[in-house]
Structures are given as structure tokens and as C-alpha cells.
PDB file of all heavy atoms in Angstrom:
ATOM      1  N   VAL A 199     -23.478 -65.077  -6.582  1.00  0.00           N
ATOM      2  CA  VAL A 199     -24.867 -65.477  -6.815  1.00  0.00           C
ATOM      3  C   VAL A 199     -24.950 -66.454  -7.983  1.00  0.00           C
ATOM      4  O   VAL A 199     -25.720 -67.424  -7.954  1.00  0.00           O
ATOM      5  CB  VAL A 199     -25.760 -64.249  -7.065  1.00  0.00           C
ATOM      6  CG1 VAL A 199     -27.159 -64.664  -7.510  1.00  0.00           C
ATOM      7  CG2 VAL A 199     -25.857 -63.386  -5.813  1.00  0.00           C
ATOM      8  N   ASP A 200     -24.119 -66.242  -8.987  1.00  0.00           N
ATOM      9  CA  ASP A 200     -24.199 -67.045 -10.212  1.00  0.00           C
ATOM     10  C   ASP A 200     -23.494 -68.399 -10.062  1.00  0.00           C
ATOM     11  O   ASP A 200     -23.974 -69.390 -10.607  1.00  0.00           O
ATOM     12  CB  ASP A 200     -23.547 -66.253 -11.376  1.00  0.00           C
ATOM     13  CG  ASP A 200     -23.756 -66.961 -12.725  1.00  0.00           C
ATOM     14  OD1 ASP A 200     -24.922 -67.150 -13.091  1.00  0.00           O
ATOM     15  OD2 ASP A 200     -22.733 -67.298 -13.342  1.00  0.00           O
ATOM     16  N   SER A 201     -22.382 -68.464  -9.311  1.00  0.00           N
ATOM     17  CA  SER A 201     -21.522 -69.645  -9.388  1.00  0.00           C
ATOM     18  C   SER A 201     -21.253 -70.357  -8.092  1.00  0.00           C
ATOM     19  O   SER A 201     -20.639 -71.445  -8.097  1.00  0.00           O
ATOM     20  CB  SER A 201     -20.192 -69.234 -10.023  1.00  0.00           C
ATOM     21  OG  SER A 201     -20.352 -68.632 -11.292  1.00  0.00           O
ATOM     22  N   TYR A 202     -21.582 -69.775  -6.931  1.00  0.00           N
ATOM     23  CA  TYR A 202     -21.247 -70.425  -5.654  1.00  0.00           C
ATOM     24  C   TYR A 202     -21.954 -71.768  -5.558  1.00  0.00           C
ATOM     25  O   TYR A 202     -23.075 -71.946  -6.075  1.00  0.00           O
ATOM     26  CB  TYR A 202     -21.608 -69.524  -4.473  1.00  0.00           C
ATOM     27  CG  TYR A 202     -21.117 -70.066  -3.149  1.00  0.00           C
ATOM     28  CD1 TYR A 202     -19.760 -70.177  -2.894  1.00  0.00           C
ATOM     29  CD2 TYR A 202     -22.016 -70.510  -2.183  1.00  0.00           C
ATOM     30  CE1 TYR A 202     -19.303 -70.690  -1.688  1.00  0.00           C
ATOM     31  CE2 TYR A 202     -21.583 -71.025  -0.971  1.00  0.00           C
ATOM     32  CZ  TYR A 202     -20.213 -71.125  -0.744  1.00  0.00           C
ATOM     33  OH  TYR A 202     -19.769 -71.664   0.438  1.00  0.00           O
ATOM     34  N   VAL A 203     -21.330 -72.735  -4.884  1.00  0.00           N
ATOM     35  CA  VAL A 203     -21.808 -74.106  -4.866  1.00  0.00           C
ATOM     36  C   VAL A 203     -23.226 -74.237  -4.335  1.00  0.00           C
ATOM     37  O   VAL A 203     -24.000 -75.099  -4.787  1.00  0.00           O
ATOM     38  CB  VAL A 203     -20.836 -74.993  -4.056  1.00  0.00           C
ATOM     39  CG1 VAL A 203     -20.756 -74.563  -2.618  1.00  0.00           C
ATOM     40  CG2 VAL A 203     -21.214 -76.466  -4.183  1.00  0.00           C
ATOM     41  N   THR A 204     -23.599 -73.435  -3.356  1.00  0.00           N
ATOM     42  CA  THR A 204     -24.982 -73.386  -2.884  1.00  0.00           C
ATOM     43  C   THR A 204     -25.491 -71.956  -3.030  1.00  0.00           C
ATOM     44  O   THR A 204     -24.718 -71.003  -3.107  1.00  0.00           O
ATOM     45  CB  THR A 204     -25.092 -73.798  -1.413  1.00  0.00           C
ATOM     46  OG1 THR A 204     -24.299 -72.922  -0.620  1.00  0.00           O
ATOM     47  CG2 THR A 204     -24.624 -75.242  -1.202  1.00  0.00           C
ATOM     48  N   GLU A 205     -26.810 -71.790  -3.082  1.00  0.00           N
ATOM     49  CA  GLU A 205     -27.371 -70.464  -3.331  1.00  0.00           C
ATOM     50  C   GLU A 205     -27.163 -69.581  -2.090  1.00  0.00           C
ATOM     51  O   GLU A 205     -27.620 -69.920  -1.007  1.00  0.00           O
ATOM     52  CB  GLU A 205     -28.858 -70.554  -3.654  1.00  0.00           C
ATOM     53  CG  GLU A 205     -29.457 -69.217  -4.047  1.00  0.00           C
ATOM     54  CD  GLU A 205     -30.890 -69.340  -4.504  1.00  0.00           C
ATOM     55  OE1 GLU A 205     -31.382 -70.475  -4.675  1.00  0.00           O
ATOM     56  OE2 GLU A 205     -31.531 -68.288  -4.708  1.00  0.00           O
ATOM     57  N   PRO A 206     -26.461 -68.456  -2.274  1.00  0.00           N
ATOM     58  CA  PRO A 206     -26.196 -67.565  -1.111  1.00  0.00           C
ATOM     59  C   PRO A 206     -27.442 -66.816  -0.685  1.00  0.00           C
ATOM     60  O   PRO A 206     -28.381 -66.613  -1.450  1.00  0.00           O
ATOM     61  CB  PRO A 206     -25.148 -66.579  -1.666  1.00  0.00           C
ATOM     62  CG  PRO A 206     -24.710 -67.128  -2.986  1.00  0.00           C
ATOM     63  CD  PRO A 206     -25.827 -67.948  -3.494  1.00  0.00           C
ATOM     64  N   ASP A 207     -27.419 -66.413   0.585  1.00  0.00           N
ATOM     65  CA  ASP A 207     -28.464 -65.535   1.120  1.00  0.00           C
ATOM     66  C   ASP A 207     -28.080 -64.109   0.749  1.00  0.00           C
ATOM     67  O   ASP A 207     -27.173 -63.513   1.347  1.00  0.00           O
ATOM     68  CB  ASP A 207     -28.552 -65.686   2.647  1.00  0.00           C
ATOM     69  CG  ASP A 207     -29.686 -64.883   3.271  1.00  0.00           C
ATOM     70  OD1 ASP A 207     -29.975 -63.792   2.731  1.00  0.00           O
ATOM     71  OD2 ASP A 207     -30.237 -65.314   4.278  1.00  0.00           O
ATOM     72  N   GLN A 208     -28.757 -63.552  -0.255  1.00  0.00           N
ATOM     73  CA  GLN A 208     -28.326 -62.239  -0.797  1.00  0.00           C
ATOM     74  C   GLN A 208     -28.517 -61.110   0.215  1.00  0.00           C
ATOM     75  O   GLN A 208     -27.760 -60.152   0.241  1.00  0.00           O
ATOM     76  CB  GLN A 208     -29.078 -61.946  -2.090  1.00  0.00           C
ATOM     77  CG  GLN A 208     -28.740 -62.923  -3.205  1.00  0.00           C
ATOM     78  CD  GLN A 208     -29.295 -62.510  -4.529  1.00  0.00           C
ATOM     79  OE1 GLN A 208     -29.144 -61.352  -4.931  1.00  0.00           O
ATOM     80  NE2 GLN A 208     -29.928 -63.444  -5.248  1.00  0.00           N
ATOM     81  N   LYS A 209     -29.546 -61.237   1.060  1.00  0.00           N
ATOM     82  CA  LYS A 209     -29.748 -60.214   2.071  1.00  0.00           C
ATOM     83  C   LYS A 209     -28.568 -60.199   3.036  1.00  0.00           C
ATOM     84  O   LYS A 209     -28.068 -59.138   3.431  1.00  0.00           O
ATOM     85  CB  LYS A 209     -31.047 -60.478   2.839  1.00  0.00           C
ATOM     86  CG  LYS A 209     -31.351 -59.416   3.907  1.00  0.00           C
ATOM     87  CD  LYS A 209     -32.652 -59.754   4.648  1.00  0.00           C
ATOM     88  CE  LYS A 209     -32.877 -58.705   5.748  1.00  0.00           C
ATOM     89  NZ  LYS A 209     -34.104 -59.039   6.544  1.00  0.00           N
ATOM     90  N   LYS A 210     -28.105 -61.391   3.437  1.00  0.00           N
ATOM     91  CA  LYS A 210     -26.962 -61.468   4.314  1.00  0.00           C
ATOM     92  C   LYS A 210     -25.710 -60.900   3.689  1.00  0.00           C
ATOM     93  O   LYS A 210     -24.894 -60.234   4.330  1.00  0.00           O
ATOM     94  CB  LYS A 210     -26.696 -62.932   4.714  1.00  0.00           C
ATOM     95  CG  LYS A 210     -27.380 -63.384   5.989  1.00  0.00           C
ATOM     96  CD  LYS A 210     -26.864 -64.772   6.347  1.00  0.00           C
ATOM     97  CE  LYS A 210     -27.486 -65.233   7.651  1.00  0.00           C
ATOM     98  NZ  LYS A 210     -26.987 -66.561   8.029  1.00  0.00           N
ATOM     99  N   MET A 211     -25.551 -61.152   2.382  1.00  0.00           N
ATOM    100  CA  MET A 211     -24.373 -60.663   1.672  1.00  0.00           C
ATOM    101  C   MET A 211     -24.311 -59.139   1.675  1.00  0.00           C
ATOM    102  O   MET A 211     -23.283 -58.530   1.960  1.00  0.00           O
ATOM    103  CB  MET A 211     -24.364 -61.188   0.232  1.00  0.00           C
ATOM    104  CG  MET A 211     -24.070 -62.663   0.106  1.00  0.00           C
ATOM    105  SD  MET A 211     -24.367 -63.281  -1.569  1.00  0.00           S
ATOM    106  CE  MET A 211     -23.239 -62.243  -2.497  1.00  0.00           C
ATOM    107  N   VAL A 212     -25.460 -58.515   1.382  1.00  0.00           N
ATOM    108  CA  VAL A 212     -25.503 -57.052   1.332  1.00  0.00           C
ATOM    109  C   VAL A 212     -25.257 -56.465   2.729  1.00  0.00           C
ATOM    110  O   VAL A 212     -24.495 -55.511   2.898  1.00  0.00           O
ATOM    111  CB  VAL A 212     -26.853 -56.567   0.763  1.00  0.00           C
ATOM    112  CG1 VAL A 212     -26.982 -55.055   0.894  1.00  0.00           C
ATOM    113  CG2 VAL A 212     -26.978 -56.985  -0.703  1.00  0.00           C
ATOM    114  N   GLU A 213     -25.900 -57.069   3.722  1.00  0.00           N
ATOM    115  CA  GLU A 213     -25.736 -56.556   5.090  1.00  0.00           C
ATOM    116  C   GLU A 213     -24.287 -56.695   5.561  1.00  0.00           C
ATOM    117  O   GLU A 213     -23.731 -55.803   6.203  1.00  0.00           O
ATOM    118  CB  GLU A 213     -26.673 -57.293   6.053  1.00  0.00           C
ATOM    119  CG  GLU A 213     -26.694 -56.699   7.440  1.00  0.00           C
ATOM    120  CD  GLU A 213     -27.765 -57.315   8.324  1.00  0.00           C
ATOM    121  OE1 GLU A 213     -28.913 -57.435   7.864  1.00  0.00           O
ATOM    122  OE2 GLU A 213     -27.432 -57.677   9.457  1.00  0.00           O
ATOM    123  N   ALA A 214     -23.643 -57.816   5.177  1.00  0.00           N
ATOM    124  CA  ALA A 214     -22.234 -58.019   5.544  1.00  0.00           C
ATOM    125  C   ALA A 214     -21.344 -56.988   4.858  1.00  0.00           C
ATOM    126  O   ALA A 214     -20.376 -56.482   5.457  1.00  0.00           O
ATOM    127  CB  ALA A 214     -21.798 -59.415   5.185  1.00  0.00           C
ATOM    128  N   ALA A 215     -21.669 -56.653   3.603  1.00  0.00           N
ATOM    129  CA  ALA A 215     -20.885 -55.643   2.881  1.00  0.00           C
ATOM    130  C   ALA A 215     -21.036 -54.284   3.555  1.00  0.00           C
ATOM    131  O   ALA A 215     -20.057 -53.537   3.701  1.00  0.00           O
ATOM    132  CB  ALA A 215     -21.362 -55.562   1.422  1.00  0.00           C
ATOM    133  N   VAL A 216     -22.267 -53.971   3.992  1.00  0.00           N
ATOM    134  CA  VAL A 216     -22.499 -52.691   4.676  1.00  0.00           C
ATOM    135  C   VAL A 216     -21.731 -52.654   5.978  1.00  0.00           C
ATOM    136  O   VAL A 216     -21.059 -51.651   6.306  1.00  0.00           O
ATOM    137  CB  VAL A 216     -24.005 -52.485   4.925  1.00  0.00           C
ATOM    138  CG1 VAL A 216     -24.253 -51.301   5.845  1.00  0.00           C
ATOM    139  CG2 VAL A 216     -24.754 -52.279   3.595  1.00  0.00           C
ATOM    140  N   ARG A 217     -21.792 -53.728   6.762  1.00  0.00           N
ATOM    141  CA  ARG A 217     -21.113 -53.740   8.055  1.00  0.00           C
ATOM    142  C   ARG A 217     -19.586 -53.674   7.855  1.00  0.00           C
ATOM    143  O   ARG A 217     -18.874 -53.086   8.662  1.00  0.00           O
ATOM    144  CB  ARG A 217     -21.498 -54.998   8.846  1.00  0.00           C
ATOM    145  CG  ARG A 217     -22.955 -55.010   9.301  1.00  0.00           C
ATOM    146  CD  ARG A 217     -23.204 -56.054  10.361  1.00  0.00           C
ATOM    147  NE  ARG A 217     -24.631 -56.152  10.667  1.00  0.00           N
ATOM    148  CZ  ARG A 217     -25.305 -55.344  11.472  1.00  0.00           C
ATOM    149  NH1 ARG A 217     -24.659 -54.328  12.026  1.00  0.00           N
ATOM    150  NH2 ARG A 217     -26.568 -55.513  11.714  1.00  0.00           N
ATOM    151  N   GLY A 218     -19.113 -54.300   6.780  1.00  0.00           N
ATOM    152  CA  GLY A 218     -17.688 -54.216   6.473  1.00  0.00           C
ATOM    153  C   GLY A 218     -17.264 -52.798   6.147  1.00  0.00           C
ATOM    154  O   GLY A 218     -16.204 -52.332   6.572  1.00  0.00           O
ATOM    155  N   MET A 219     -18.108 -52.093   5.391  1.00  0.00           N
ATOM    156  CA  MET A 219     -17.812 -50.700   5.039  1.00  0.00           C
ATOM    157  C   MET A 219     -17.776 -49.818   6.295  1.00  0.00           C
ATOM    158  O   MET A 219     -16.853 -49.023   6.483  1.00  0.00           O
ATOM    159  CB  MET A 219     -18.897 -50.180   4.068  1.00  0.00           C
ATOM    160  CG  MET A 219     -18.473 -49.016   3.233  1.00  0.00           C
ATOM    161  SD  MET A 219     -19.699 -48.447   2.026  1.00  0.00           S
ATOM    162  CE  MET A 219     -20.818 -49.807   1.842  1.00  0.00           C
ATOM    163  N   VAL A 220     -18.760 -50.003   7.170  1.00  0.00           N
ATOM    164  CA  VAL A 220     -18.803 -49.246   8.405  1.00  0.00           C
ATOM    165  C   VAL A 220     -17.623 -49.643   9.310  1.00  0.00           C
ATOM    166  O   VAL A 220     -16.981 -48.797   9.920  1.00  0.00           O
ATOM    167  CB  VAL A 220     -20.142 -49.464   9.123  1.00  0.00           C
ATOM    168  CG1 VAL A 220     -20.131 -48.797  10.504  1.00  0.00           C
ATOM    169  CG2 VAL A 220     -21.288 -48.899   8.306  1.00  0.00           C
ATOM    170  N   GLY A 221     -17.324 -50.946   9.352  1.00  0.00           N
ATOM    171  CA  GLY A 221     -16.240 -51.423  10.203  1.00  0.00           C
ATOM    172  C   GLY A 221     -14.882 -50.923   9.805  1.00  0.00           C
ATOM    173  O   GLY A 221     -13.986 -50.835  10.622  1.00  0.00           O
ATOM    174  N   SER A 222     -14.721 -50.569   8.515  1.00  0.00           N
ATOM    175  CA  SER A 222     -13.431 -50.070   8.047  1.00  0.00           C
ATOM    176  C   SER A 222     -13.044 -48.752   8.704  1.00  0.00           C
ATOM    177  O   SER A 222     -11.876 -48.355   8.712  1.00  0.00           O
ATOM    178  CB  SER A 222     -13.434 -49.897   6.510  1.00  0.00           C
ATOM    179  OG  SER A 222     -14.264 -48.820   6.128  1.00  0.00           O
ATOM    180  N   LEU A 223     -14.028 -48.045   9.268  1.00  0.00           N
ATOM    181  CA  LEU A 223     -13.750 -46.774   9.972  1.00  0.00           C
ATOM    182  C   LEU A 223     -13.088 -47.013  11.324  1.00  0.00           C
ATOM    183  O   LEU A 223     -12.525 -46.084  11.915  1.00  0.00           O
ATOM    184  CB  LEU A 223     -15.053 -45.992  10.175  1.00  0.00           C
ATOM    185  CG  LEU A 223     -15.825 -45.623   8.904  1.00  0.00           C
ATOM    186  CD1 LEU A 223     -17.173 -45.016   9.258  1.00  0.00           C
ATOM    187  CD2 LEU A 223     -15.019 -44.669   8.030  1.00  0.00           C
ATOM    188  N   GLU A 224     -13.194 -48.252  11.828  1.00  0.00           N
ATOM    189  CA  GLU A 224     -12.632 -48.600  13.140  1.00  0.00           C
ATOM    190  C   GLU A 224     -13.135 -47.671  14.231  1.00  0.00           C
ATOM    191  O   GLU A 224     -12.384 -47.239  15.114  1.00  0.00           O
ATOM    192  CB  GLU A 224     -11.091 -48.630  13.087  1.00  0.00           C
ATOM    193  CG  GLU A 224     -10.549 -49.663  12.106  1.00  0.00           C
ATOM    194  CD  GLU A 224      -9.034 -49.730  12.072  1.00  0.00           C
ATOM    195  OE1 GLU A 224      -8.386 -48.838  12.671  1.00  0.00           O
ATOM    196  OE2 GLU A 224      -8.509 -50.681  11.481  1.00  0.00           O
ATOM    197  N   ASP A 225     -14.422 -47.369  14.162  1.00  0.00           N
ATOM    198  CA  ASP A 225     -15.080 -46.514  15.151  1.00  0.00           C
ATOM    199  C   ASP A 225     -16.239 -47.315  15.750  1.00  0.00           C
ATOM    200  O   ASP A 225     -17.254 -47.521  15.072  1.00  0.00           O
ATOM    201  CB  ASP A 225     -15.583 -45.246  14.485  1.00  0.00           C
ATOM    202  CG  ASP A 225     -16.398 -44.355  15.431  1.00  0.00           C
ATOM    203  OD1 ASP A 225     -16.415 -44.651  16.647  1.00  0.00           O
ATOM    204  OD2 ASP A 225     -17.007 -43.361  14.971  1.00  0.00           O
ATOM    205  N   PRO A 226     -16.131 -47.773  16.999  1.00  0.00           N
ATOM    206  CA  PRO A 226     -17.191 -48.599  17.580  1.00  0.00           C
ATOM    207  C   PRO A 226     -18.498 -47.865  17.767  1.00  0.00           C
ATOM    208  O   PRO A 226     -19.538 -48.499  18.002  1.00  0.00           O
ATOM    209  CB  PRO A 226     -16.612 -49.021  18.925  1.00  0.00           C
ATOM    210  CG  PRO A 226     -15.592 -47.989  19.253  1.00  0.00           C
ATOM    211  CD  PRO A 226     -15.022 -47.548  17.943  1.00  0.00           C
ATOM    212  N   TYR A 227     -18.474 -46.538  17.655  1.00  0.00           N
ATOM    213  CA  TYR A 227     -19.698 -45.748  17.875  1.00  0.00           C
ATOM    214  C   TYR A 227     -20.455 -45.456  16.584  1.00  0.00           C
ATOM    215  O   TYR A 227     -21.562 -44.913  16.615  1.00  0.00           O
ATOM    216  CB  TYR A 227     -19.346 -44.452  18.592  1.00  0.00           C
ATOM    217  CG  TYR A 227     -18.547 -44.679  19.858  1.00  0.00           C
ATOM    218  CD1 TYR A 227     -17.184 -44.376  19.928  1.00  0.00           C
ATOM    219  CD2 TYR A 227     -19.144 -45.236  20.979  1.00  0.00           C
ATOM    220  CE1 TYR A 227     -16.454 -44.621  21.069  1.00  0.00           C
ATOM    221  CE2 TYR A 227     -18.429 -45.480  22.141  1.00  0.00           C
ATOM    222  CZ  TYR A 227     -17.063 -45.168  22.176  1.00  0.00           C
ATOM    223  OH  TYR A 227     -16.347 -45.418  23.321  1.00  0.00           O
ATOM    224  N   THR A 228     -19.858 -45.772  15.439  1.00  0.00           N
ATOM    225  CA  THR A 228     -20.560 -45.670  14.151  1.00  0.00           C
ATOM    226  C   THR A 228     -21.024 -47.049  13.759  1.00  0.00           C
ATOM    227  O   THR A 228     -20.210 -47.942  13.523  1.00  0.00           O
ATOM    228  CB  THR A 228     -19.643 -45.079  13.079  1.00  0.00           C
ATOM    229  OG1 THR A 228     -19.277 -43.734  13.420  1.00  0.00           O
ATOM    230  CG2 THR A 228     -20.321 -45.073  11.712  1.00  0.00           C
ATOM    231  N   VAL A 229     -22.346 -47.244  13.727  1.00  0.00           N
ATOM    232  CA  VAL A 229     -22.890 -48.593  13.469  1.00  0.00           C
ATOM    233  C   VAL A 229     -24.093 -48.501  12.554  1.00  0.00           C
ATOM    234  O   VAL A 229     -24.844 -47.517  12.535  1.00  0.00           O
ATOM    235  CB  VAL A 229     -23.300 -49.309  14.771  1.00  0.00           C
ATOM    236  CG1 VAL A 229     -22.084 -49.615  15.639  1.00  0.00           C
ATOM    237  CG2 VAL A 229     -24.306 -48.480  15.564  1.00  0.00           C
ATOM    238  N   TYR A 230     -24.267 -49.564  11.769  1.00  0.00           N
ATOM    239  CA  TYR A 230     -25.479 -49.704  10.935  1.00  0.00           C
ATOM    240  C   TYR A 230     -26.555 -50.379  11.769  1.00  0.00           C
ATOM    241  O   TYR A 230     -26.322 -51.392  12.439  1.00  0.00           O
ATOM    242  CB  TYR A 230     -25.144 -50.543   9.689  1.00  0.00           C
ATOM    243  CG  TYR A 230     -26.382 -51.044   8.953  1.00  0.00           C
ATOM    244  CD1 TYR A 230     -27.320 -50.154   8.441  1.00  0.00           C
ATOM    245  CD2 TYR A 230     -26.602 -52.416   8.812  1.00  0.00           C
ATOM    246  CE1 TYR A 230     -28.441 -50.624   7.776  1.00  0.00           C
ATOM    247  CE2 TYR A 230     -27.722 -52.894   8.144  1.00  0.00           C
ATOM    248  CZ  TYR A 230     -28.644 -51.982   7.634  1.00  0.00           C
ATOM    249  OH  TYR A 230     -29.758 -52.448   6.970  1.00  0.00           O
ATOM    250  N   LEU A 231     -27.756 -49.815  11.743  1.00  0.00           N
ATOM    251  CA  LEU A 231     -28.869 -50.346  12.483  1.00  0.00           C
ATOM    252  C   LEU A 231     -29.891 -50.896  11.498  1.00  0.00           C
ATOM    253  O   LEU A 231     -30.435 -50.143  10.676  1.00  0.00           O
ATOM    254  CB  LEU A 231     -29.546 -49.251  13.347  1.00  0.00           C
ATOM    255  CG  LEU A 231     -28.640 -48.569  14.384  1.00  0.00           C
ATOM    256  CD1 LEU A 231     -29.343 -47.341  14.955  1.00  0.00           C
ATOM    257  CD2 LEU A 231     -28.264 -49.524  15.486  1.00  0.00           C
ATOM    258  N   THR A 232     -30.144 -52.191  11.532  1.00  0.00           N
ATOM    259  CA  THR A 232     -31.160 -52.780  10.673  1.00  0.00           C
ATOM    260  C   THR A 232     -32.542 -52.364  11.193  1.00  0.00           C
ATOM    261  O   THR A 232     -32.665 -51.878  12.319  1.00  0.00           O
ATOM    262  CB  THR A 232     -31.062 -54.312  10.697  1.00  0.00           C
ATOM    263  OG1 THR A 232     -31.409 -54.771  12.026  1.00  0.00           O
ATOM    264  CG2 THR A 232     -29.646 -54.791  10.358  1.00  0.00           C
ATOM    265  N   PRO A 233     -33.587 -52.554  10.376  1.00  0.00           N
ATOM    266  CA  PRO A 233     -34.935 -52.251  10.891  1.00  0.00           C
ATOM    267  C   PRO A 233     -35.255 -52.991  12.184  1.00  0.00           C
ATOM    268  O   PRO A 233     -35.925 -52.458  13.070  1.00  0.00           O
ATOM    269  CB  PRO A 233     -35.824 -52.707   9.725  1.00  0.00           C
ATOM    270  CG  PRO A 233     -34.995 -52.530   8.517  1.00  0.00           C
ATOM    271  CD  PRO A 233     -33.605 -52.915   8.953  1.00  0.00           C
ATOM    272  N   GLU A 234     -34.700 -54.221  12.316  1.00  0.00           N
ATOM    273  CA  GLU A 234     -34.922 -54.984  13.543  1.00  0.00           C
ATOM    274  C   GLU A 234     -34.180 -54.372  14.727  1.00  0.00           C
ATOM    275  O   GLU A 234     -34.635 -54.479  15.878  1.00  0.00           O
ATOM    276  CB  GLU A 234     -34.476 -56.448  13.359  1.00  0.00           C
ATOM    277  CG  GLU A 234     -35.297 -57.243  12.354  1.00  0.00           C
ATOM    278  CD  GLU A 234     -34.952 -56.902  10.895  1.00  0.00           C
ATOM    279  OE1 GLU A 234     -33.868 -56.322  10.677  1.00  0.00           O
ATOM    280  OE2 GLU A 234     -35.764 -57.207  10.016  1.00  0.00           O
ATOM    281  N   ASP A 235     -33.035 -53.738  14.464  1.00  0.00           N
ATOM    282  CA  ASP A 235     -32.239 -53.120  15.521  1.00  0.00           C
ATOM    283  C   ASP A 235     -32.879 -51.843  16.073  1.00  0.00           C
ATOM    284  O   ASP A 235     -32.611 -51.426  17.203  1.00  0.00           O
ATOM    285  CB  ASP A 235     -30.855 -52.726  15.010  1.00  0.00           C
ATOM    286  CG  ASP A 235     -29.998 -53.947  14.661  1.00  0.00           C
ATOM    287  OD1 ASP A 235     -30.225 -55.013  15.261  1.00  0.00           O
ATOM    288  OD2 ASP A 235     -29.129 -53.814  13.782  1.00  0.00           O
ATOM    289  N   LEU A 236     -33.715 -51.188  15.241  1.00  0.00           N
ATOM    290  CA  LEU A 236     -34.172 -49.841  15.591  1.00  0.00           C
ATOM    291  C   LEU A 236     -35.057 -49.792  16.831  1.00  0.00           C
ATOM    292  O   LEU A 236     -34.975 -48.867  17.622  1.00  0.00           O
ATOM    293  CB  LEU A 236     -34.891 -49.196  14.395  1.00  0.00           C
ATOM    294  CG  LEU A 236     -33.981 -48.633  13.320  1.00  0.00           C
ATOM    295  CD1 LEU A 236     -34.801 -48.171  12.110  1.00  0.00           C
ATOM    296  CD2 LEU A 236     -33.170 -47.473  13.864  1.00  0.00           C
ATOM    297  N   LYS A 237     -35.928 -50.789  16.986  1.00  0.00           N
ATOM    298  CA  LYS A 237     -36.863 -50.738  18.120  1.00  0.00           C
ATOM    299  C   LYS A 237     -36.151 -50.739  19.463  1.00  0.00           C
ATOM    300  O   LYS A 237     -36.388 -49.869  20.312  1.00  0.00           O
ATOM    301  CB  LYS A 237     -37.885 -51.876  18.018  1.00  0.00           C
ATOM    302  CG  LYS A 237     -38.880 -51.653  16.906  1.00  0.00           C
ATOM    303  CD  LYS A 237     -39.914 -52.774  16.871  1.00  0.00           C
ATOM    304  CE  LYS A 237     -40.940 -52.537  15.748  1.00  0.00           C
ATOM    305  NZ  LYS A 237     -41.959 -53.627  15.685  1.00  0.00           N
TER     306      LYS A 237
END
């Protein structure tokens, strides 16, 4: 956030970190659902 050449999308960064954490389980049935995914 402080030094990258262009200003990052912080929401995307956090969501990518969450998906990476869930993805480390290597379980396709464990998934993060965003508020948009829930409906």
C-alpha cells in the first residue's frame, strides 16, 4: 500500500489473501463466499 508503483485495490488484496488461505487446504469443497456470492 505504501510503496507499490500504482495504488493497489486493498479490498482485492484482502480477498486474495483469504482465498489463498482457504486454497492452501486443497479442498475444493471449502470455499469463501463473498456477500455477492451468497445470494
Side-chain angles (χ1 to χ4, degrees):
V199 172
D200 187 60
S201 304
Y202 187 65
V203 62
T204 59
E205 185 173 353
D207 185 327
Q208 296 190 47
K209 181 181 177 182
K210 268 188 178 181
M211 289 170 59
V212 172
E213 188 172 312
V216 170
R217 293 195 186 279
M219 202 176 342
V220 173
S222 70
L223 301 173
E224 298 182 350
D225 175 8
Y227 307 107
T228 295
V229 293
Y230 165 60
L231 302 169
T232 67
E234 293 77 17
D235 293 332
L236 280 174
K237 288 183 180 179

